[in-house]
Amino acid sequence: MEDFKELYYRQPYVREFDASVVSCEPSADAADRFEVTLSETAFYPEGGGQPGDRGTLRLPTEEEESVAAEGLPAEAPADAPAAADDGAGAPESEAPKPVAPATEAPAVRVLDTRKRGDAVVHLTDAPLPVGAPVHGTLDWTWRSDNMEGHTGEHILSGIVHALYGYDNVGFHMGEDCITVDFSGPLDESQALEVERRANQAVRADLEVRELLPSPAELAAMSYRSKKELEGVVRIVSIPGVDTCACCGTHVSTTGQVGLVKILSVTSKKKGARVELLCGRRALLAYEAEMAQVHGISTLLSAKTGEVLDAVRRLDDEKNELRRQLQQAHRQRLDLEVRALPERPGLVVRIEDGLSVDELRYFCNRALEAGRATTVAALSRAMGAGPEGTPAEGAPARFDYVMASSDAAVDLRAAVKELNAELNGRGGGKPEMVQGSFTAPCGDIEAALRARLA
């Protein structure tokens, strides 16, 4: 049962600590990894949606061990007074000897921290001797990011609960973003209002309280919790914003969260999934997005505040050019249909740069003009190289459309055999099919003529 007496609860801002190795075993979950337990630890283990801490565990150097054994201080105090100098200088034999640089202390990396029953297990990249003293150092950027993010999630969830009565039913802190699932729907305008209120709470710099109430005090409290709790319950309270049962680490005031930014809101069953960032990570994301906006504004010769309008104009121009190109393609395809021999039969047309819609157009026009009874039109898919073979040497993929006006021809049956032969996929109706083949161009044409002629 959790008693919340661990160092990471008592002093969540501790970055370094000393302890001894209690156990070290090879990890059953990962090769070349070891599971280390310590007499005490400031490394927070994964739990409650918050990831485990990272950092290093350093063994003492021989010099440090020797000093510790003699019971002497490792070095003179930084403010120790200098020896008096009478100007005569010291005899050469008594001149200070140069001090050798300190030996680099051996250290192992802590890649993750997890809970195994009541034990906190540190997943390391090398073993440590049992009983050895170690100096632990947290990856403080990682820890502080998680403290900011976890506190920001409390602020956001508390506001959603107060405004809409929704429960937080899922929570995960990833490296890219924090994901929170709520029991009811949220639209974009509601999410924006929640974000604004969350940042008001950040700017108010409210105290974040971590409480261990007695059973009687807990019974009188109104607090959020995803499940029924037994034993000692740890409550994290932000006055006027949120009160929640939680076993994570948090900053001491809301102002240290810095910023709460919602990235997206999507529907999830009958609820909503919110992706957000807080603190340093939110600032980095904003910097990256602004860099992209500045880059786009330079390319479009538009002010940063006019980028959206400039992109819309560019999109309109693109659509107009696409329409003109499609019209030109169709006019050219009409000319090619008129140039076909006036004898019904099989026509196979393979040409790069055509869309599936244009392949279908060619087939229909050839049948309507009476220049064919069965038509197979194909075009190499994007990225394929010359002669049906991309640069890496694998066969290219060709999109195909086949159509027939001959009632005796069942293209659906024929294409099943062709797909098997030419590594293809697709289908349709007896009179028209479409899909793709992945095979050399010559093999495709030969197979089509053998099956459809």
Side-chain angles (χ1 to χ4, degrees), residues 292-452:
Q292 290 194 38
V293 170
H294 283 296
I296 294 169
S297 70
T298 300
L299 289 173
L300 298 180
S301 299
K303 296 179 180 179
T304 54
E306 299 172 355
V307 164
L308 181 58
D309 288 338
V311 171
R312 283 172 175 159
R313 288 194 298 271
L314 191 64
D315 189 57
D316 290 341
E317 293 173 6
K318 178 205 68 178
N319 290 334
E320 175 59 21
L321 289 172
R322 179 179 290 172
R323 186 193 65 78
Q324 293 177 12
L325 181 61
Q326 183 184 60
Q327 185 178 20
H329 277 177
R330 291 192 172 189
Q331 290 173 348
R332 181 175 58 80
L333 292 174
D334 286 339
L335 292 175
E336 292 182 5
V337 168
R338 286 198 290 270
L340 292 173
E342 295 185 7
R343 55 177 185 274
L346 172 65
V347 171
V348 177
R349 181 78 175 107
I350 302 177
E351 180 181 345
D352 290 347
L354 297 180
S355 67
V356 172
D357 286 342
E358 289 164 343
L359 296 176
R360 190 182 301 108
Y361 178 83
F362 178 83
C363 291
N364 287 332
R365 294 294 293 141
L367 294 179
E368 291 169 1
R371 302 297 176 124
T373 52
T374 301
V375 187
L378 302 93
S379 184
R380 197 189 326 267
M382 293 297 292
E387 303 302 325
T389 305
E392 63 269 21
R397 182 173 64 84
F398 286 81
D399 295 323
Y400 68 75
V401 175
M402 291 178 249
S404 181
S405 59
D406 187 346
V409 175
D410 183 354
L411 291 175
R412 186 167 52 187
V415 84
K416 287 183 180 180
E417 298 177 355
L418 288 166
N419 284 339
E421 182 179 349
L422 300 170
N423 190 23
R425 55 186 302 174
K429 300 178 181 180
E431 65 275 12
M432 179 173 280
V433 294
Q434 71 179 55
S436 65
F437 299 130
T438 303
C441 181
D443 293 355
I444 293 174
E445 183 170 1
L448 290 172
R449 295 192 181 281
R451 298 279 183 182
L452 302 177

Side-chain angles (χ1 to χ4, degrees), residues 148-299:
E148 292 166 0
H150 206 152
T151 309
E153 177 272 323
H154 277 273
I155 296 170
L156 187 99
S157 295
I159 291 171
V160 169
H161 185 74
L163 289 179
Y164 308 111
Y166 301 156
D167 292 324
N168 175 332
V169 294
F171 167 55
H172 175 71
M173 298 176 66
E175 295 199 39
D176 296 328
C177 69
I178 299 169
T179 302
V180 187
D181 292 335
F182 291 106
S183 59
L186 287 172
D187 60 29
E188 294 290 340
S189 63
Q190 291 172 322
L192 182 59
E193 177 63 19
V194 169
E195 179 182 284
R196 286 171 175 166
R197 294 193 182 210
N199 284 296
Q200 287 174 1
V202 170
R203 291 192 297 274
D205 199 24
L206 304 169
E207 181 184 6
V208 180
R209 302 170 181 169
E210 297 173 346
L211 311 173
L212 296 175
S214 67
E217 291 171 331
L218 187 67
M221 280 185 176
S222 175
Y223 62 93
R224 295 188 301 109
S225 179
K226 295 185 182 70
K227 60 183 180 179
E228 292 293 328
L229 301 172
E230 297 180 354
V232 179
V233 176
R234 183 170 181 260
I235 297 293
V236 175
S237 175
I238 304 172
V241 178
D242 187 43
T243 303
C244 180
C246 182
C247 61
T249 58
H250 310 84
V251 293
S252 59
T253 65
T254 60
Q256 295 173 50
V257 173
L259 175 66
V260 175
K261 183 60 188 173
I262 293 177
L263 306 179
S264 68
V265 181
T266 55
S267 297
K268 187 176 185 293
K269 295 182 179 179
K270 295 182 180 180
R273 169 164 289 180
V274 175
E275 292 185 341
L276 69 146
L277 286 172
C278 301
R280 186 188 72 93
R281 289 178 177 174
L283 180 61
L284 291 177
Y286 177 74
E287 290 174 353
E289 289 199 4
M290 285 305 300
Q292 290 194 38
V293 170
H294 283 296
I296 294 169
S297 70
T298 300
L299 289 173

Side-chain angles (χ1 to χ4, degrees), residues 97-155:
K97 297 179 180 179
V99 178
T103 306
E104 182 69 21
V108 302
R109 288 188 301 152
V110 177
L111 307 173
D112 196 4
T113 311
R114 302 170 185 170
K115 208 71 182 288
R116 294 277 193 272
D118 292 332
V120 176
V121 172
H122 308 76
L123 190 67
T124 66
D125 63 352
L128 288 168
V130 174
V134 290
H135 184 77
T137 302
L138 274 65
D139 178 340
W140 190 248
T141 299
W142 175 256
R143 161 65 88 80
S144 60
D145 282 348
N146 291 329
M147 291 169 70
E148 292 166 0
H150 206 152
T151 309
E153 177 272 323
H154 277 273
I155 296 170

